[in-house]
Structures are given as C-alpha cells and as structure tokens.
Amino acid sequence: SQTGVISGTPRSAIHETMFTITVTNAAGPSFSVIAITIDFIGQSCPSVGEWPETEHDHDAMLNICGEYYEGYVSRHCYDGVFGPEDRHCTLLPPMISLNMTEYNYIVGEEIEPIVPVIAGAEIIGVTVSPSLPTGLVMDAMTGVISGVPSEVSEGNYTLIVTNAAGSDSIAIEIIVTMDQTFCQPEGEYPGVPS
C-alpha cells in the first residue's frame, strides 16, 4: 500500500500481537512496531420464556428449583445463544405435623385414622418407634395410622419422616382403654353390657 493505512473488518479475535510496519523510500527503510489486540464482542441473548435478556458471556439465573428445594437454575449466554440449563438445586429435609398429639381409643373399636401432614420431596419413608399398640398399623409411605386396637395400652410414639436431606419427627401419645359400658369376657364368662 502506498499510504500504510490499516483497515478492514477482523474475522477472529487475537491476543496482543506485535506487527512491524516498514516504509521505504530512496533514502532506505524505516521501521515501526505496533501492537494490535482484537477482542470478540458477542451479542446479548434475547429473553426467552422466563429467561431474561442476558449479556454475552454472562449467566442468567432463576429460582425455579421447585417446592421443597433451594438454589437456582442457570443458563450461560454466549454470542446471543443460551446454553443448556445448569441446576444448582438442593433438596430440603421433610417436615411432619399433626393437628393434635394425644389420641384416645377403645379396645375393639376401629380408630379414626391418624393422618400426619408430610411436606417434602423424595420421601424415603415414615417410621414409628416404639411399635404401635397391638392391632394398629402405620403406612410406611404416608405415615397414616389405622386399625382396631386389641388390648389396653398407653404409650408415647415418635413418627419420623425421612428423605436424602434429613428427617423430621413428631411425638404422639396413644391411650387405649376398655369400653366402660361393656363388661369384658373373663375366663368362661362372656362379655356383656354393664
């Protein structure tokens, strides 16, 4: 080139690179060294659904892990295109509750089921300790206690709900008594109304 002007549109990024420019005339050559750096400036990602507009080479983040989880989901923006979702979600421990904690029942009568409220995800199961009174059973997934108690008893029991993140428990008292309006059988004597 007669002028030495550098122009054009770069097609790729380069780190700082040294270039030597030589100009020559009848008196001889002359040199000059220049440094050129070409940065890539990508396009922002336009909003897509619930994902907001995001600058090039930045992450968009949303709190969409779901109920019973904490954290966020991210997507990386590169030159106008969002990458796949990257989940940073952590399971929370479950919770168990009841609207009352003392239950009174009568031997031989079917009980109104005890139905705990369990809040949580990925529940592994529900256990009870110690064993329930004879005749009562608990569903290992829902924690519902039902059945017909067959003997007098009184005790405290702990229901424990568990998932991979931990557990929660609640204590209840179950009292089973005889129906006072009915004489229970004894030996060779049958039961009769009192």
Side-chain angles (χ1 to χ4, degrees), residues 5-191:
V5 172
I6 299 171
S7 63
T9 303
R11 294 190 179 170
S12 60
I14 62 169
H15 293 290
E16 183 176 317
T17 304
M18 307 305 284
F19 294 91
T20 301
I21 299 175
T22 306
V23 61
T24 306
N25 64 13
S30 178
F31 304 95
S32 182
V33 177
I34 63 170
I36 296 178
T37 301
I38 301 173
D39 292 322
F40 174 72
I41 301 175
Q43 298 178 23
S44 294
C45 292
S47 61
V48 177
E50 58 193 335
W51 295 97
E53 181 178 354
T54 304
E55 292 181 31
H56 164 72
D57 209 20
H58 283 76
D59 289 334
M61 291 182 281
L62 294 175
N63 294 321
I64 56 171
C65 288
E67 192 174 16
Y68 310 122
Y69 294 86
E70 65 181 359
Y72 62 94
V73 178
S74 66
R75 292 180 75 182
H76 190 71
C77 170
Y78 190 82
D79 196 22
V81 178
F82 277 120
E85 290 185 4
D86 189 10
R87 297 183 64 79
H88 305 270
C89 301
T90 303
L91 178 65
L92 295 172
M95 295 177 287
I96 187 169
S97 62
L98 284 161
N99 60 3
M100 57 187 283
T101 57
E102 184 179 316
Y103 299 87
N104 293 282
Y105 300 116
I106 296 173
V107 169
E109 292 185 8
E110 185 169 358
I111 71 167
E112 179 74 26
I114 300 172
V115 182
V117 175
I118 296 175
E122 302 179 35
I123 300 298
I124 294 170
V126 183
T127 58
V128 62
S129 179
S131 296
L132 291 170
T134 304
L136 299 184
V137 294
M138 185 190 70
D139 184 291
M141 287 309 297
T142 66
V144 173
I145 296 172
S146 60
V148 179
S150 60
E151 58 186 46
V152 171
S153 67
E154 181 175 344
N156 295 306
Y157 304 89
T158 302
L159 302 180
I160 304 166
V161 59
T162 305
N163 69 8
S167 62
D168 189 28
S169 64
I170 189 167
I172 63 172
E173 182 179 19
I174 296 177
I175 300 168
V176 181
T177 57
M178 288 290 185
D179 183 349
Q180 298 304 313
T181 64
F182 189 82
C183 292
Q184 298 299 313
E186 184 177 328
E188 61 189 61
Y189 300 100

